[in-house]
Amino acid sequence: MTTPREADTAARLTGLVRALRGHGLRIGPAETVDAAAVLDVLGFTDREQMRAGLAAALLRSEAQRTVFDAAFDLFFPLGVGTPEAVRADPPAVPDDPEPPRFGRPDPLREQLRERLAAALAADDRAAQARLAGELIEAFGRYGTGGSPGSGGSPGSGGWSAQQALDRLAPETLLARVLAALRERHGAQAPADRDLSDRVLADEIRRRIRDFRAMAAGEARRRVAELRGPERIAERAVAPTADRVDFLYAGRDQLAELRRTVHPLARKLATRLAARRRRAARGEIDLRRTLRRSLGTGGVPLRPAYRLRRPARPELVLLCDVSGSVAGFADFTMLLVQAMGEQFSKVRVFAFVNRTAEVTGLLRGGDDPARLAARILAEAEVMGYHGNSDYGSALGGFAERHLDAVGPRTCVLVLGDARNNHRDPNLDALRRIAGRARRVFWLNPEQPSLWPTGDSAALAYAGVVEMHSCRNARRLGELIARLLPV
């Protein structure tokens, strides 16, 4: 007979697994059974030990931990409703109920800022977690029905970490915390003090980021109580790096993506090598197969194949490095560079409105985060203006660099095809496609946006194959499937 607690635990665990699967994590029945065994052994006494045990049972790489932690906090929260510490000692509400006006200080806000500065200076995680709960309680509620029992409609309100953090502005506490830490460390020589201040400032920024994450987690937990953890896990949990949309990835997400280049390159190289081995077998040689079958009574147990010796293909990348598309092109160039051994020759060309070869810049070995900036600074990829012009770029490639394309060459064009209402120059793309073995266009925009605005995507899609490629996972799938071997 299943007890109510066991049923609740099973529902929470299966809900967590569904949420993680929805974010692309591969979790099968075996891992789920292992996770249930972990819960049975560890119990619920030590929540962090339970978190570590479930992560060990369900995850396959450390890169998935961020998604897991956010989902875990939704399905196995530390508490329900207002945190116990906040209920026991709620934030002091000022006597004057009138909201602060411009230029008028907010006593509660100033009190929270002062306490947060002290907690950051002491690196007191427990105090910071308590303050995150107080912050959301004081400034995070919006609409009506913000908490159970408030009398409002359950779906018409909620909790917003961004609203609360904007009110508190923890980043502006940097100088105050730095002064407290400097006083604690004592007097130093001017040169040593400058270095120490830079190190301490970076450490304070990290602590502030951690506090913001605590506040966001507290707001997600409260909203999950109102609307259900499944719905919040689907919308509010950040995806893994390989599922982040190239066009909307922030600086930190792009940095995380660059760290996945080499593992992804090794995986794709293995797939391409397997495809090459299968392709080398060729078609069945009927005569040799029949001759072999004489030793087995006429039964062709061991088919013979006409062996092929396919040469490794050549690859040409033609990349738009302007604006938000630059992150997509940057990642793809690094990925192809890491896979260089899978091709007999790789040449990379970049453009904004003029085309220039940048193969040498990729071999420089500099910081990958500076690749796009280096290309814009050192390569002649812009003419008299800085706007994208695919027609001019394709025309320049067809006139000056067409010798890079031959019958063994696969050409990948990377860009959103937004041409600023200029001539798309389809004839230039046809000339490139006429010389190449295959041409594929990888577009980081979703297909529903191709007919909108200044996009020439549909026109180009009428000449070459165009595929939507919005994240690293999709890019890996397309490279493994489309590139010739």
Side-chain angles (χ1 to χ4, degrees), residues 25 38 110 116 130 133 146 154-155 164 166 194 199 219 242 248 333 353 375 411 430 440 444 446 450 466-467:
L25 277 64
V38 166
E110 293 306 317
L116 177 59
R130 172 189 164 84
D166 286 347
D194 290 342
V199 173
D242 62 341
Y248 305 109
M333 286 188 285
N353 47 61
I375 290 175
V411 179
R430 291 191 185 98
F440 301 107
Q446 54 187 339
W450 294 356
M466 183 172 290
H467 299 269

Side-chain angles (χ1 to χ4, degrees), residues 340-351:
E341 294 182 357
Q342 300 302 312
F343 308 98
S344 61
K345 184 186 298 185
V346 177
R347 296 182 68 178
V348 182
F349 298 84
F351 68 89

Side-chain angles (χ1 to χ4, degrees), residues 31 181 204 221 332 365 407 474:
E31 289 84 359
L181 290 177
I204 295 168
R221 180 187 66 79
T332 309
R474 176 63 172 162

Side-chain angles (χ1 to χ4, degrees), residues 132-473:
E134 292 186 26
L135 174 66
I136 300 301
E137 179 73 17
F139 300 128
R141 190 177 314 199
Y142 66 87
T144 58
S147 61
S150 63
S153 171
S156 59
W159 305 89
S160 169
Q162 190 62 50
Q163 172 181 295
L165 289 166
D166 286 347
R167 186 80 174 272
L168 190 67
E171 287 79 10
T172 60
L173 296 174
L174 178 75
R176 189 186 303 185
V177 178
L178 181 60
L181 290 177
R182 189 188 297 143
E183 181 180 354
R184 184 176 302 172
H185 289 178
Q188 292 177 313
D192 294 337
R193 185 168 60 247
D194 290 342
L195 177 60
S196 175
D197 284 353
R198 287 197 295 271
V199 173
L200 287 176
D202 289 340
E203 172 63 16
I204 295 168
R205 292 188 185 97
R206 182 194 65 78
R207 296 178 188 179
I208 292 174
R209 286 197 301 270
D210 290 346
F211 175 76
R212 293 183 68 94
M214 290 179 185
E218 174 64 19
R220 277 197 304 269
R221 180 187 66 79
R222 295 189 183 208
V223 175
E225 291 179 15
L226 293 175
R227 298 185 173 90
E230 292 84 0
R231 182 177 178 186
I232 303 307
E234 179 183 351
R235 301 186 179 186
V237 175
T240 54
D242 62 341
R243 295 170 69 91
V244 172
D245 197 316
F246 285 120
L247 294 182
Y248 305 109
R251 181 181 302 177
D252 293 341
Q253 291 172 319
L254 288 175
E256 179 65 25
L257 268 179
R258 294 187 189 100
R259 286 192 285 272
T260 68
V261 163
H262 289 285
L264 179 58
R266 288 194 296 270
K267 183 185 297 184
L268 294 179
T270 301
R271 293 180 183 176
L272 290 177
R275 284 181 57 201
R276 188 172 292 115
R277 286 194 299 271
R278 289 194 298 269
R281 295 174 65 182
E283 300 177 351
I284 290 180
D285 187 327
L286 185 58
R287 180 176 295 179
R288 290 174 57 210
T289 299
L290 291 176
R291 188 178 298 123
R292 282 184 180 181
S293 70
L294 295 178
T296 56
V299 180
L301 294 179
R302 294 186 301 121
Y305 295 88
R306 294 188 179 93
L307 298 180
R308 299 169 53 219
R309 294 291 184 267
R312 294 189 177 186
E314 300 174 359
L315 184 64
V316 167
L317 259 62
L318 191 54
C319 312
D320 181 3
V321 293
S322 64
S324 60
V325 187
F328 168 48
D330 179 18
F331 179 79
T332 309
M333 286 188 285
L334 293 172
L335 179 62
V336 169
Q337 179 195 24
M339 294 175 58
E341 294 182 357
Q342 300 302 312
F343 308 98
S344 61
K345 184 186 298 185
V346 177
R347 296 182 68 178
V348 182
F349 298 84
F351 68 89
V352 175
N353 47 61
R354 294 180 62 180
T355 304
E357 184 167 8
V358 296
T359 309
L361 294 181
L362 264 72
R363 298 171 181 159
D366 288 347
D367 181 6
R370 297 185 61 253
L371 177 59
R374 255 194 96 189
I375 290 175
L376 291 174
E378 300 181 24
E380 296 183 3
V381 295
M382 286 188 287
Y384 59 89
H385 63 84
N387 299 323
S388 295
D389 186 346
Y390 282 78
S392 176
L394 291 171
F397 180 84
E399 291 174 8
R400 295 188 297 275
H401 305 290
L402 201 58
D403 59 338
V405 181
R408 290 169 46 199
T409 305
C410 179
V411 179
L412 290 182
V413 185
L414 313 176
D416 58 6
R418 295 209 168 266
N419 202 36
N420 292 291
H421 301 290
R422 293 183 170 88
D423 177 16
N425 198 353
L426 299 180
D427 289 338
L429 185 58
R430 291 191 185 98
R431 288 179 61 192
I432 297 170
R435 285 179 60 93
R437 179 178 177 182
R438 298 295 298 273
V439 178
F440 301 107
W441 192 304
L442 305 186
N443 192 327
E445 287 191 338
Q446 54 187 339
S448 62
L449 297 178
W450 294 356
T452 64
D454 60 350
S455 175
L458 294 183
Y460 289 128
V463 180
V464 299
E465 285 187 46
M466 183 172 290
H467 299 269
S468 178
C469 184
R470 301 177 59 189
N471 53 52
R473 173 170 294 194

